[in-house]
């Protein structure tokens, strides 16, 4: 019987691999941006999965989880705080990538990276 | 062809690495040192029920300040990059949004804004907080833009909300330096009883500021992206 953490971890790794495959093989900038977003999501899922502990509950105290028992009842809150930060920054990065892609299309008339060769050596 | 083969080899190596990590992974049985500290001290010291919000708003408040600054920078750069070369007149009017979307957005936008405010204000008690609520607020903006692509939001208003909440955030942090234990210490206000809306000291206030700031930044990004559409 595999644990939830193992399933989530495998999903995260698979998302990272799919994202990298897309980013490395696609030619269209928009598709590359989507692929990067997938890979970022995969990394986030991996981090959250590592913080999971079986038999414990979310790091929120209430009637079911009194403050005195918190240490033995809740999962690690740190990975969740990290991922919350990472998701928000990820949105900012995606918006930046889209804005650059838009400007590139406006000035060059193409989104095909094979035709944008200035930085190639 | 060679390129694709190289990519597949690279991914296979990476996959093998991941597989080794996956096979060697055993979930932790006990909290780590830092996690244990947060679990033990959050409720008695800060009076917050949600440990994640406590970490983000108070324990690592300085990092959160840095994060909203990064977000502000990226919103500013999006505006800057998209601002140049904007055509004065549109070539063709956009396709109308349709009855369903137009009427639905009128019904849904107030509810979305209400949900966003709820999530922000209850951040220290239930799952939620400034970032999540701010993103929900911005999704209301997105729905408005989808329903009416020619709608223009006042960039002046967005900037004012954004800079005012940012400045208040920093000012409250500095007040904590003088009147409480340190920068962004939430015990500037009384901690109160665990689980009540007006508890956890400064935490709900800072959540509201973060929520407004994040919502304004996301909205400004969306507005910039929408204003350059089909130019």
């Amino acid at each position: 019987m595999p644990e939830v953490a193992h399933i989530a971890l495998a999903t995260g790794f698979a998302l990272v691999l799919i994202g990298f495959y897309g980013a490395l093989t696609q030619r269209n900038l928009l598709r590359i941006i989507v692929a990067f977003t997938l890979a970022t999501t995969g990394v986030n899922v991996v981090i959250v999965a590592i913080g999971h502990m079986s038999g414990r509950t979310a790091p929120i105290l209430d009637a079911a989880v009194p403050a005195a028992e918190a240490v033995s009842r809740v999962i690690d809150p740190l990975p969740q705080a990290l991922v919350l930060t990472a998701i928000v920054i990820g949105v900012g990065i995606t918006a930046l990538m889209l804005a650059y892609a838009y400007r590139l299309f406006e000035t060059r008339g193409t989104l095909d990276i094979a035709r944008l060769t200035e930085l190639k050596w | 062809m060679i390129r694709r083969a190289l990519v597949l080899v690279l991914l296979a190596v990476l996959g093998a690495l991941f597989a080794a990590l996956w096979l060697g992974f055993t979930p932790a049985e006990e909290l780590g040192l830092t996690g244990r500290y947060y679990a033990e001290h959050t409720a008695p010291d800060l009076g917050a029920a949600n440990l994640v919000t406590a970490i983000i708003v108070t324990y690592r408040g300085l990092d959160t300040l840095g994060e909203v600054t990064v977000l502000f920078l990226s919103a500013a750069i999006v505006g800057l990059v998209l601002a140049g070369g904007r055509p004065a007149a549109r070539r063709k009017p956009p396709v109308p949004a349709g009855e369903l979307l137009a009427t639905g957005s009128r019904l849904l936008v107030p509810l979305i804004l209400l949900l966003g405010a709820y999530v922000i204000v209850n951040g220290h008690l239930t799952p939620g907080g400034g970032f999540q609520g701010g993103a929900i607020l911005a999704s209301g903006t997105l729905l408005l833009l989808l329903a009416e692509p020619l709608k223009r939001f006042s960039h002046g208003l967005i900037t004012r909300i954004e800079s005012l909440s940012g400045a208040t955030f920093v000012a409250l942090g500095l007040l904590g330096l003088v009147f409480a234990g340190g920068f962004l210490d939430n015990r500037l206000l009384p901690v109160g009883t665990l689980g009540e809306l007006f508890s956890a000291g400064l935490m709900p206030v800072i959540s509201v500021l973060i929520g407004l700031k994040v919502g304004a930044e996301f909205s400004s990004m969306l507005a910039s992206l929408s204003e350059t559409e089909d130019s």
Side-chain angles (χ1 to χ4, degrees):
Chain A
M1 173 80 187
E3 286 197 53
V4 182
H6 276 109
I7 299 171
L9 203 60
T11 315
F13 284 148
L15 277 176
V16 173
L17 288 179
I18 294 170
F20 279 177
Y21 175 78
L24 290 172
T25 53
Q26 294 296 329
R27 293 287 189 77
N28 187 310
L29 267 180
L30 290 182
R31 290 179 183 222
I32 293 177
I33 292 172
V34 172
F36 268 116
T37 324
L38 263 183
T40 321
T41 313
V43 174
N44 290 341
V45 172
V46 167
I47 299 177
V48 169
I50 288 172
H52 182 265
M53 298 151 136
S54 59
R56 295 188 178 216
T57 181
I60 291 171
L61 312 172
D62 55 10
V65 187
E69 296 173 22
V71 174
S72 57
R73 298 285 300 279
V74 301
I75 63 172
D76 201 341
L78 264 185
Q80 306 197 359
L82 279 178
V83 167
L84 180 56
T85 312
I87 290 173
V88 175
I89 296 297
V91 173
I93 292 171
T94 311
L96 265 186
M97 289 196 286
L98 286 173
Y100 286 141
Y102 177 81
R103 285 297 284 174
L104 207 56
F105 181 74
E106 210 178 39
T107 47
R108 305 290 303 276
T110 178
L111 282 173
D112 187 352
I113 52 163
R115 294 174 64 191
L116 306 167
T117 51
E118 285 87 354
L119 290 178
K120 204 172 177 182
W121 75 86
Chain B
M1 211 51 223
I2 295 174
R3 220 175 130 255
R4 179 151 295 208
L6 274 177
V7 167
L8 286 178
V9 169
L10 185 72
L11 287 180
V13 172
L14 205 60
L17 208 72
F18 285 165
L21 283 175
W22 188 79
L23 288 173
F25 174 70
T26 39
E29 296 290 327
E30 288 294 314
L31 289 180
L33 265 184
T34 328
R36 171 179 283 269
Y37 177 87
Y38 290 146
E40 272 172 355
H41 289 76
T42 298
D45 288 2
L46 306 182
N50 186 340
L51 304 189
V52 178
T53 308
I55 293 174
I56 288 198
V57 172
T58 300
Y59 285 120
R60 308 299 326 161
L62 188 62
D63 299 354
T64 304
L65 186 59
E67 190 190 349
V68 287
T69 312
V70 169
L71 214 54
F72 165 71
L73 270 180
S74 79
I77 295 172
V78 168
L80 182 72
V81 168
L82 293 178
R86 186 177 300 166
R90 285 168 177 275
R91 276 171 217 151
K92 54 179 187 224
V95 184
E99 196 61 36
L100 266 182
L101 189 53
T103 318
S105 77
R106 240 174 277 146
L107 173 71
L108 279 178
V109 166
L111 291 178
I112 289 176
L113 295 184
L114 186 67
L115 175 69
Y118 173 83
V119 167
I120 290 174
V121 171
N122 284 291
H124 57 303
L125 303 175
T126 54
F131 287 111
Q132 298 91 321
I136 295 175
L137 291 183
S139 74
T141 315
L142 177 62
L143 188 57
L144 278 179
L145 281 172
L146 282 180
E148 205 178 329
L150 285 181
K151 194 174 188 69
R152 288 292 164 263
F153 289 94
S154 157
H155 276 284
L157 179 67
I158 292 178
T159 313
R160 238 169 275 149
I161 293 175
E162 200 269 318
S163 46
L164 196 67
S165 49
T168 321
F169 190 0
V170 176
L172 285 176
L174 290 176
L175 281 180
L177 212 53
V178 180
F179 295 106
F183 190 71
L184 280 174
D185 192 335
N186 76 326
R187 285 163 290 188
L188 198 59
L189 295 173
V191 166
T193 1
L194 180 72
E196 278 180 14
L197 183 57
F198 291 101
S199 66
L202 213 53
M203 228 178 269
V205 183
I206 293 179
S207 276
V208 169
L209 293 175
I210 294 175
L212 282 177
K213 198 165 159 60
V214 170
E217 279 157 357
F218 282 175
S219 300
S220 120
M221 283 183 204
L222 291 170
S224 304
L225 284 169
S226 146
E227 278 165 24
T228 41
E229 205 178 28
D230 57 63
S231 51

